[in-house]
Amino acid sequence: MHISLEHQVALVTGASSGLGAGAALALANAGASVVINYNRHAEPAEALAERIRQDGGKAIAVHGDVSKEDDVEALFARTVDTFGALDILLANSGLQRDAATVDMTLADWNQVLEVNLTGQFLSARAALRQFNRQGPRPWVSKALGKIIHMSSVHQLIPWAGHANYAASKGAVDLLMRSIAQEVGCQRIRVNAIAPGAVRTSINQDTTTGDKASRLLELIPYGRLGEVEDVANAVVWLASDAADYVHGTTLFIDGGMSLYPGFKDNG
Ligand code: BGC
């Protein structure tokens, strides 16, 4: 199977590092023109865009806070001004503000929900509006458009000390499935990816050093995830090879969501 996203335009939110950056690069390598959205870190986002351009691809870096309606509108307008259309949205921006619930500040609760959930709603809404506005582009894809929500194994697995994060990802699951139910009839494909413990800056403290071996006990497949594990799935899910995949969550977690603690105790 050869996957090409040539002539497609992909927007990746939160793409200055981690899963977003890896996915943006993979989408560009598959031939898509890529918009690399960032909020705080302009430099790595610009560097990634430059790297893609030097390799013969098309990419721009665009600032925008996904939790702000005006920023999201401006981000999508810039995408269409630059590349003429939008075919793929990877709503990836997300953050953690960890604390025991008893100590969690309202600010930490709100910030996580605003970025991880409201940001995904605003981005998806803007993508849906753009797909409808531009109409079918059958020479690039069978679908009118594709939306991929970046979720987490914690849409399923409760996570003590991270109630804000787990609540936001649980909500992303029903956000995704509700939108999918709503727009499938328009040939807009909506899905999610739920990564487990992938080695990125979001979980540096648990994926390195002593804590890494404890983390491995939670992963039946016996290794941490790499950014490419997720990026490859993004490319496939965005492509027509996955044209009949709609309203589902693809867990990319080495089996973390199999509750491995039950293997010999339950
Ligand atoms: C979190 C990581 C964590 C992983 C598995 C992800 O959603 O962002 O920090 O390592 O889930 O627990």
Coordinates of all heavy atoms in Angstrom, one line a residue, residues 95-96 98 151-154 157 159 162 165 169 195-198 200 202-207 215 218 256, ligand 1:
L95 N -2.2 20.0 26.9 CA -1.2 20.1 27.9 C -1.7 19.5 29.2 O -2.8 19.1 29.4 CB -0.9 21.6 28.2 CG -2.1 22.6 28.3 CD1 -2.7 22.6 29.6 CD2 -1.6 24.0 28.0
Q96 N -0.8 19.3 30.1 CA -1.0 18.7 31.5 C -0.7 19.8 32.5 O 0.3 20.5 32.4 CB -0.1 17.5 31.7 CG -0.5 16.3 30.9 CD 0.4 15.1 31.2 OE1 0.7 14.3 30.4 NE2 0.8 14.9 32.5
D98 N -0.7 19.0 36.3 CA -1.0 17.9 37.2 C -1.0 18.3 38.7 O -0.2 19.1 39.2 CB 0.1 16.8 37.1 CG 0.3 16.4 35.6 OD1 -0.7 16.5 34.9 OD2 1.4 15.9 35.3
S151 N -6.4 12.3 21.2 CA -6.9 12.0 22.6 C -5.7 11.4 23.4 O -4.6 11.8 23.3 CB -8.1 11.1 22.5 OG -8.6 10.8 23.7
S152 N -6.1 10.4 24.2 CA -5.1 9.7 25.1 C -5.7 8.4 25.6 O -6.9 8.3 25.6 CB -4.8 10.7 26.2 OG -4.2 9.9 27.3
V153 N -4.8 7.5 26.0 CA -5.4 6.4 26.7 C -6.2 6.8 27.9 O -7.1 6.1 28.4 CB -4.2 5.4 27.3 CG1 -3.6 4.6 26.2 CG2 -3.2 6.2 28.1
H154 N -6.0 8.0 28.4 CA -6.7 8.5 29.6 C -8.1 9.0 29.2 O -8.8 9.6 30.0 CB -5.9 9.6 30.3 CG -4.7 8.9 30.9 ND1 -4.7 7.9 31.8 CD2 -3.4 9.1 30.5 CE1 -3.4 7.5 32.0 NE2 -2.6 8.2 31.3
I157 N -8.7 5.3 30.7 CA -8.0 4.9 32.0 C -8.1 6.1 33.0 O -7.5 7.1 32.7 CB -6.6 4.5 31.7 CG1 -6.5 3.4 30.7 CG2 -5.9 4.1 33.1 CD1 -5.0 3.0 30.3
W159 N -7.0 8.5 35.9 CA -5.6 8.9 36.2 C -5.5 9.8 37.5 O -5.7 11.0 37.3 CB -5.0 9.6 35.0 CG -3.5 9.5 34.9 CD1 -2.7 8.7 35.7 CD2 -2.6 10.2 34.1 NE1 -1.4 8.8 35.3 CE2 -1.3 9.8 34.3 CE3 -2.8 11.2 33.1 CZ2 -0.2 10.3 33.7 CZ3 -1.7 11.7 32.4 CH2 -0.4 11.2 32.7
H162 N -4.4 13.6 38.0 CA -4.5 14.2 36.7 C -6.0 14.3 36.3 O -6.3 14.1 35.1 CB -3.8 13.4 35.6 CG -2.3 13.0 35.9 ND1 -2.0 12.1 36.8 CD2 -1.2 13.5 35.4 CE1 -0.7 12.0 36.9 NE2 -0.2 12.8 36.0
Y165 N -6.8 16.5 33.2 CA -6.4 15.9 32.0 C -7.3 14.8 31.5 O -7.8 14.7 30.4 CB -4.9 15.5 32.1 CG -4.3 15.0 30.8 CD1 -3.8 15.9 29.9 CD2 -4.3 13.6 30.5 CE1 -3.2 15.4 28.7 CE2 -3.7 13.1 29.4 CZ -3.2 14.0 28.5 OH -2.6 13.6 27.3
K169 N -9.8 14.4 28.2 CA -9.7 13.4 27.2 C -10.9 12.6 27.1 O -11.4 12.1 26.0 CB -8.4 12.6 27.4 CG -7.1 13.4 27.3 CD -6.9 14.0 25.9 CE -5.6 14.7 25.8 NZ -5.4 15.3 24.4
P195 N -2.9 7.9 22.1 CA -1.6 7.4 22.4 C -1.4 7.0 23.9 O -2.1 7.6 24.7 CB -0.6 8.6 22.1 CG -1.5 9.6 21.4 CD -2.9 9.4 21.8
G196 N -0.5 6.1 24.1 CA -0.2 5.8 25.5 C 1.1 6.6 25.9 O 1.1 7.8 25.6
A197 N 2.0 5.9 26.5 CA 3.2 6.6 26.9 C 4.2 6.8 25.8 O 5.0 5.9 25.5 CB 3.8 5.9 28.1
V198 N 4.2 7.9 25.1 CA 5.1 8.1 24.0 C 6.2 9.1 24.5 O 5.8 10.0 25.3 CB 4.3 8.8 22.8 CG1 5.3 9.1 21.7 CG2 3.2 7.9 22.4
T200 N 7.9 12.0 24.8 CA 7.9 13.4 24.4 C 8.2 14.3 25.6 O 8.3 13.7 26.8 CB 6.6 13.8 23.8 OG1 5.6 13.8 24.8 CG2 6.1 12.9 22.6
I202 N 6.1 16.1 27.2 CA 5.0 16.2 28.2 C 5.2 15.2 29.3 O 4.7 15.4 30.4 CB 3.6 15.9 27.4 CG1 2.5 16.6 28.2 CG2 3.3 14.4 27.3 CD1 1.1 16.6 27.4
N203 N 5.9 14.1 29.1 CA 6.1 13.1 30.2 C 7.5 12.7 30.4 O 7.9 11.6 30.9 CB 5.3 11.8 29.8 CG 5.7 11.3 28.5 OD1 6.8 11.6 28.0 ND2 4.9 10.4 27.9
Q204 N 8.4 13.7 30.2 CA 9.9 13.5 30.4 C 10.2 12.9 31.7 O 11.1 12.1 31.9 CB 10.6 14.8 30.3 CG 11.7 14.8 29.3 CD 12.1 16.2 28.9 OE1 11.6 17.2 29.5 NE2 13.1 16.3 28.0
D205 N 9.5 13.4 32.8 CA 9.8 12.9 34.1 C 9.5 11.4 34.3 O 10.2 10.8 35.2 CB 9.1 13.8 35.2 CG 7.6 13.8 35.0 OD1 7.2 13.7 33.8 OD2 6.9 13.9 36.0
T206 N 8.6 10.9 33.6 CA 8.2 9.4 33.8 C 8.8 8.5 32.8 O 8.8 7.3 33.0 CB 6.7 9.2 33.9 OG1 6.1 9.8 32.7 CG2 6.1 9.8 35.1
T207 N 9.3 9.1 31.7 CA 9.8 8.2 30.6 C 11.3 8.1 30.6 O 11.9 7.4 29.8 CB 9.3 8.7 29.2 OG1 9.7 10.0 29.1 CG2 7.8 8.5 29.1
L215 N 7.1 2.5 34.6 CA 6.1 2.8 33.5 C 6.0 1.6 32.5 O 4.9 1.2 32.1 CB 6.6 4.0 32.7 CG 5.7 4.6 31.7 CD1 4.3 4.9 32.2 CD2 6.3 5.9 31.1
L218 N 3.4 -1.1 32.8 CA 2.1 -0.8 32.4 C 1.9 -1.0 30.9 O 0.8 -0.8 30.3 CB 1.7 0.7 32.7 CG 1.8 1.1 34.2 CD1 1.5 2.6 34.3 CD2 0.7 0.3 34.9
M256 N -1.3 -0.6 26.6 CA -1.5 0.0 28.0 C -3.0 0.0 28.4 O -3.3 -0.2 29.6 CB -1.0 1.5 27.9 CG -1.0 2.2 29.3 SD -0.3 3.8 29.0 CE 1.1 3.8 30.1
Ligands
BGC1 C1 0.1 11.7 28.8 C2 1.4 11.2 29.2 C3 1.4 9.8 29.8 C4 0.6 8.9 28.9 C5 0.3 7.5 29.5 C6 -0.6 10.6 27.9 O1 -1.8 11.1 27.5 O2 0.2 12.9 28.2 O3 2.0 12.1 30.1 O4 2.7 9.3 29.9 O5 -0.7 9.4 28.6 O6 0.0 7.6 30.9

